[in-house]
Amino acid sequence: MNNDIPSTPPGNILVVDDTPANLRLLAGILNGKGYKVRPVPSGELALSAAQGMPPDLILLDIMMPEMNGYEVCEKIKADERTRDIPVIFISAINDVLDKVKAFAVGGVDYITKPFQMEEVLVRVETHLAMCHLQKKLKQKNDELTITLEQLQATQEQLVQSEKMAALGQLIAGIAHEINTPLGAIRSSIGNITGFLDNNLDSLPVFFKELSAERQHDFLSLMYSSRQQTYSLSTREKREFKRGVKQQLDAEGIDNADSLASILVNIGLQGNVQEFVPLLKDPDGENIIKTAYDFASIQKSARTIATATERAAKVVFALKNYARYDVHGDKLEVNITDGIETVLTLYQNQLKQGVEIVRNYQAQLPPVLCYPDELNQVWTNLIHNALQAMDNQGTLTIDAWEQDTNFAVKITDSGAGISPEILPKIFEPFFTTKPAGEGSGLGLDIVKKIIKKHQGTIDVESVPGQTAFTVSLPINLIE
């Protein structure tokens, strides 16, 4: 007996032979070694037995009436229930072509009659051992498949958790970015409502009593107001007011200081000679104040439009960032759009003292990628850069096409990463942040996402400058 053959649990063996003496002999040999043997005398019975209770091994004669061994083996291999059962042919036929045919129809071995007991036992034990190992291997493969699926699910959960953690850090800033335009809208609506409530009844009388000259002056003031597309600083207002007041004083107009302030707020910043007749009119001051009220309504309307656009931009960015693509489909997207989404969400931190320098190559191609996951990459890299600079410094973002790749370089002007730490930054759970401020998974997740995209990430750091460069294939291949 071959001692190298691994031990195998006793097998269930189906023996098929139309000669009763051969059946008894084979059954006796195999029973004597502890195998469970089922002898059958025909091909039809063999198929029925194999399908009803699949054996671990089949010993099959070739020369049988009605259905020969080749036909039996072909039917066994064609049935999903029995196709994996090893079949050993046992036959008195010793021709090479018959042996070749036996292997062609799915046999695993061929024993020539008259057979030796030791040969039969060794081959049976060998193929049962191989079958047992194959079953164990399949079981292990199934277990590994399940484990891999669980790991992938865990990784996706980690990515999402890290993403939500970053979003949590942004919430205060995002709330501020939303509340500021909402406050401006609320204030502007109050100004418009207050003006209408107080003046709606008197406006028809006001416009009816205006002479043609005063109507022209009123419309000119409104035109000046519409031309002022930006807010003046306090210093600019003081300078313009000083110049307008000097002109009013030169014309001997009363209340020059008050009127100069109103005219500047309306939008008049230069020569006031055109409005001198209006200013000398007994009802001039009332006309100018009414013009100022209308100018304030125009300004409030512009404020509402600007604030609405700003809030919508933040909400849109938040929606794009917070969504989670459960299907994991690849999409063609503009990479810089994703970067801009992240920058919008970090606007509150950026305006504290960070200068953004964008060096985006013109006409960049769309990239086939998993955009939701790449947004996590830009979030982590930009967040780390802002922390490295304590929200004070220059953040430079370069994006360019490089052969068949798309490259993004994010550079901060922070203190830099020390040489002894640099090799460890992509290791999972490694962090230099205080306890509770970082999981140490951010850059590990970044690296895994980029690897999934068949890309690379490199880092260079010297005092005063750290740069992370991400390179991605433009067309991601499975």
Side-chain angles (χ1 to χ4, degrees):
M1 193 72 65
N2 190 342
N3 293 327
D4 293 334
I5 299 173
S7 60
T8 306
N12 185 313
I13 302 174
L14 183 66
V15 180
V16 188
D17 199 313
D18 65 329
T19 304
N22 289 340
L23 281 179
R24 287 194 297 271
L25 177 60
L26 285 170
I29 292 171
L30 297 170
N31 279 325
K33 290 297 181 179
Y35 297 113
K36 182 178 180 181
V37 182
R38 286 185 289 160
V40 293
S42 70
E44 288 289 350
L45 291 173
L47 289 175
S48 178
Q51 292 166 355
M53 186 182 296
D56 298 314
L57 178 69
I58 299 175
L59 296 180
L60 181 59
D61 186 26
I62 293 177
M63 301 303 294
M64 293 186 295
E66 297 180 3
M67 185 184 296
N68 64 41
Y70 298 134
E71 294 171 322
V72 173
C73 188
E74 285 178 334
K75 291 182 181 296
I76 287 172
K77 296 303 175 182
D79 192 324
E80 188 176 349
R81 295 168 294 177
T82 57
R83 67 176 53 170
D84 294 327
I85 301 171
V87 176
I88 300 176
F89 284 98
I90 298 182
S91 177
I93 303 174
N94 196 27
D95 188 80
V96 171
L97 292 178
D98 289 296
K99 292 181 179 180
V100 170
K101 185 175 181 180
F103 287 109
V105 297
V108 297
D109 209 341
Y110 194 103
I111 301 173
T112 305
K113 296 177 182 179
F115 50 76
Q116 297 294 322
M117 180 178 68
E118 291 79 4
E119 180 185 8
V120 173
L121 290 174
V122 167
R123 297 200 185 195
V124 165
E125 187 170 353
T126 297
H127 287 290
L128 283 174
M130 290 173 62
C131 183
H132 178 66
L133 290 174
Q134 286 174 344
K135 288 180 180 178
K136 288 186 67 174
L137 180 60
K138 184 179 184 304
Q139 181 184 354
K140 291 296 181 184
N141 284 338
D142 290 343
E143 291 174 357
L144 285 174
T145 299
I146 293 172
T147 301
L148 180 59
E149 291 173 353
Q150 291 173 341
L151 286 174
Q152 289 174 338
T154 301
Q155 181 173 328
E156 290 173 357
Q157 290 172 356
L158 281 174
V159 171
Q160 186 68 356
S161 296
E162 187 72 14
K163 179 178 179 178
M164 291 300 104
L167 189 58
Q169 295 168 349
L170 287 170
I171 289 299
I174 292 172
H176 179 79
E177 288 301 300
I178 294 293
N179 283 332
T180 298
L182 287 179
I185 292 171
R186 188 182 298 111
S187 174
S188 298
I189 290 293
N191 291 339
I192 294 172
T193 303
F195 171 78
L196 293 176
D197 288 344
N198 296 328
N199 299 282
L200 191 59
D201 294 337
S202 61
L203 286 176
V205 176
F206 170 80
F207 286 112
K208 184 177 180 180
E209 293 179 351
L210 283 181
S211 65
E213 292 82 5
R214 298 294 79 88
Q215 286 182 14
H216 174 77
D217 293 336
F218 183 86
L219 293 175
S220 295
L221 288 173
M222 291 294 92
Y223 179 79
S224 297
S225 174
R226 288 197 302 272
Q227 298 310 301
Q228 186 176 321
T229 57
Y230 65 94
S231 298
L232 298 175
S233 67
T234 303
R235 180 179 177 181
E236 288 173 327
K237 282 185 177 181
R238 283 200 302 267
E239 291 177 354
F240 286 130
K241 179 182 175 182
R242 188 181 302 113
V244 170
K245 182 177 182 299
Q246 288 175 353
Q247 294 180 60
L248 297 181
D249 287 337
E251 294 291 340
I253 295 173
D254 296 335
N255 299 324
D257 187 74
S258 174
L259 289 172
S261 179
I262 294 173
L263 289 171
V264 170
N265 283 327
I266 288 175
L268 194 66
Q269 300 169 6
N271 195 336
V272 298
Q273 290 301 314
E274 175 187 355
F275 299 102
V276 168
L278 169 64
L279 294 168
K280 291 184 176 181
D281 188 297
D283 201 32
E285 186 171 350
N286 180 50
I287 294 172
I288 291 173
K289 287 182 178 179
T290 303
Y292 170 73
D293 290 336
F294 273 93
S296 296
I297 290 178
Q298 288 181 331
K299 183 178 179 181
S300 294
R302 287 196 297 267
T303 298
I304 290 172
T306 301
T308 302
E309 182 179 351
R310 180 178 174 186
K313 183 179 180 181
V314 175
V315 171
F316 180 77
L318 184 60
K319 179 182 176 183
N320 278 351
Y321 181 83
R323 73 177 179 83
Y324 184 56
D325 186 5
V326 294
H327 301 294
D329 294 331
K330 297 190 293 295
L331 300 172
E332 277 197 344
V333 299
N334 188 330
I335 294 294
T336 54
D337 285 349
I339 295 173
E340 289 300 318
T341 291
V342 176
L343 290 175
T344 298
L345 295 179
Y346 275 102
Q347 185 59 39
N348 190 57
Q349 289 90 323
L350 295 172
K351 67 185 181 184
Q352 295 176 20
V354 176
E355 178 188 2
I356 302 291
V357 178
R358 296 172 174 85
N359 298 319
Y360 298 163
Q361 180 181 316
Q363 297 181 337
L364 286 168
V367 174
L368 185 62
C369 64
Y370 302 95
D372 199 47
E373 296 186 25
L374 280 185
N375 281 350
Q376 182 63 45
V377 171
W378 315 135
T379 299
N380 283 19
L381 295 181
I382 290 172
H383 177 73
N384 288 348
L386 295 177
Q387 284 194 325
M389 297 187 293
D390 291 328
N391 293 331
Q392 299 285 327
T394 302
L395 180 65
T396 304
I397 303 177
D398 299 272
W400 70 96
E401 184 179 0
Q402 188 176 50
D403 299 326
T404 59
N405 287 353
F406 190 107
V408 175
K409 185 177 182 180
I410 298 176
T411 308
D412 68 69
S413 60
I417 305 172
S418 62
E420 61 271 15
I421 290 177
L422 198 60
K424 303 177 182 179
I425 60 173
F426 291 106
E427 294 178 5
F429 303 109
F430 176 81
T431 180
T432 57
K433 298 173 185 176
E437 291 188 15
S439 65
L441 289 172
L443 288 178
D444 175 57
I445 289 173
V446 164
K447 190 171 183 179
K448 284 182 169 64
I449 292 173
I450 293 171
K451 184 178 180 181
K452 179 178 179 179
H453 284 80
Q454 301 165 20
T456 60
I457 180 168
D458 299 302
V459 58
E460 298 176 313
S461 186
V462 295
Q465 180 175 296
T466 298
F468 285 86
T469 303
V470 175
S471 180
L472 303 167
I474 294 174
N475 294 305
L476 181 60
I477 302 173
E478 289 291 349

